[in-house]
Amino acid sequence: MRGSSRAAVLEGRASFETALTSGDPAVMADELFAVAELLDGTPTLRRGAADPSREGKDKSDLITRLLHGKVSNETVAVASVLVGQRWAQERDLTDTIERFAVESLLKGAEDGGAIDQVEDELFRFERVVAGNPELRDALANRLGDPAGKAELVGGLLQGKARPETIRLARQSVLAPRGRRFDRAIESYLDVAADRRQQLTAVVTTAVDLTDEQRTRLAGALQQIYSKPVLLQVVLDEEVIGGIRVQIGDEVVDGTVLRRLDEAKRHLAG
């Protein structure tokens, strides 16, 4: 985000954090998702809400009139403050509303001491989908019915995951906002990591790590990046041995498979 949008997010966050202390996080999440969907689906309204040439109070009053009586007072307050800011791009406004919706759900999980579980369940479910071509194609089909996809996702996770996990997984297919399923889930996981001020490391290995190995690896990565690091371990027999660690766009690949590939390239050259 450019400068004006970054400042807008900071202004909106103060209102959002205040609302979280008095409102129901799950209710706020649903309502904020609905507000983002309303703006995404109504170009004229979105342009008016994000128009930097309009007075902030006029824009705030507009969204307040539209939402009053339809959503909670807390959600009206957050949306009013956000819409009243100056945004560099229209998308920045709706991205921020969606982000706050995700954070609302995560706050509920935090209050229940289950934030780690939600992150792990989301990650694992994304990997299950990635490893099942039929399921992946069903969720990726742009012509498919979003409600049908959400029902499929809910049926797969019902009784096996936290309510917050199911809600986010359903949201990723109900309103992907132009993203693939995996990208939507990754964006939610990024929000979780940012909110907890930690990094997530995807560790690919042929054999599961012991608790001691996980602790040592997480500690070593924390020293390197100066932040707590959550490990998400992916088992893949094809790596043969060693581990591959990815944090954001940075990859450290120490697998036997990589070394064999390098040897083949060297011999071929």
Side-chain angles (χ1 to χ4, degrees):
M1 290 186 182
R2 291 188 292 185
S4 60
S5 289
R6 288 197 296 270
V9 172
L10 291 176
E11 288 292 332
R13 177 163 294 283
S15 175
F16 170 65
E17 296 292 350
T18 299
L20 273 182
T21 63
S22 56
D24 182 325
V27 171
M28 279 188 61
D30 283 342
E31 292 175 345
L32 287 170
F33 277 133
V35 173
E37 187 173 357
L38 171 66
L39 293 173
D40 279 338
T42 316
T44 302
L45 176 60
R46 184 180 65 250
R47 285 194 292 270
D51 186 350
S53 67
R54 295 184 62 181
E55 289 291 333
K57 185 178 185 305
D58 291 343
K59 296 189 292 181
S60 294
D61 289 346
L62 170 64
I63 202 69
T64 298
R65 289 195 301 271
L66 285 173
L67 299 180
H68 180 70
K70 300 181 180 68
V71 298
S72 65
N73 291 336
E74 289 82 8
T75 298
V76 171
V78 173
S80 175
V81 170
L82 286 174
V83 170
Q85 306 306 311
R86 291 178 60 85
W87 297 92
Q89 299 182 42
E90 294 174 17
R91 176 83 186 206
D92 292 344
L93 169 59
T94 48
D95 282 351
T96 301
I97 294 173
E98 182 195 52
R99 179 189 178 93
F100 285 176
V102 175
E103 288 196 44
S104 295
L105 279 174
L106 296 173
K107 177 62 164 59
E110 284 176 348
D111 293 343
I115 185 65
D116 286 344
Q117 182 180 346
V118 170
E119 289 187 65
D120 187 65
E121 288 171 349
L122 276 177
F123 178 81
R124 297 296 167 192
F125 185 60
E126 189 279 321
R127 300 308 304 171
V128 167
V129 172
N132 185 319
E134 184 177 354
L135 179 57
R136 184 179 66 242
D137 291 345
L139 296 183
N141 183 4
R142 293 183 179 273
L143 300 179
D145 175 33
K149 295 179 186 179
E151 185 177 353
L152 172 61
V153 168
L156 291 170
L157 290 174
Q158 192 64 43
K160 302 174 185 176
R162 291 272 308 181
E164 298 90 350
T165 305
I166 297 174
R167 180 67 182 88
L168 288 171
R170 283 171 53 85
Q171 184 66 24
S172 70
V173 292
L174 280 171
R177 309 186 68 232
R179 299 167 301 200
R180 299 197 314 262
F181 171 80
D182 59 336
R183 295 301 185 191
I185 295 295
E186 287 174 11
S187 73
Y188 301 158
L189 291 172
D190 287 343
V191 171
D194 286 347
R195 183 166 179 84
R196 301 178 69 192
Q197 296 186 327
Q198 69 177 15
L199 299 173
T200 299
V202 179
V203 181
T204 305
T205 176
V207 181
D208 198 5
L209 303 179
T210 65
D211 289 343
E212 180 183 358
Q213 289 172 326
R214 289 173 183 252
T215 300
R216 288 170 56 193
L217 178 57
L221 292 172
Q222 180 172 341
Q223 284 189 329
I224 294 171
Y225 290 97
S226 301
K227 278 188 176 182
V229 177
L230 174 68
L231 302 184
Q232 297 285 9
V233 179
V234 177
L235 300 183
D236 184 352
E237 295 180 356
E238 292 187 2
V239 304
I240 305 176
I243 63 172
R244 177 183 187 272
V245 179
Q246 179 169 355
I247 297 181
D249 294 330
E250 294 188 26
V251 177
V252 178
D253 195 336
T255 64
V256 172
L257 179 61
R258 180 188 63 81
R259 292 196 292 271
L260 288 174
D261 286 342
E262 289 178 348
K264 289 179 182 178
R265 287 195 297 271
H266 178 71
L267 291 173

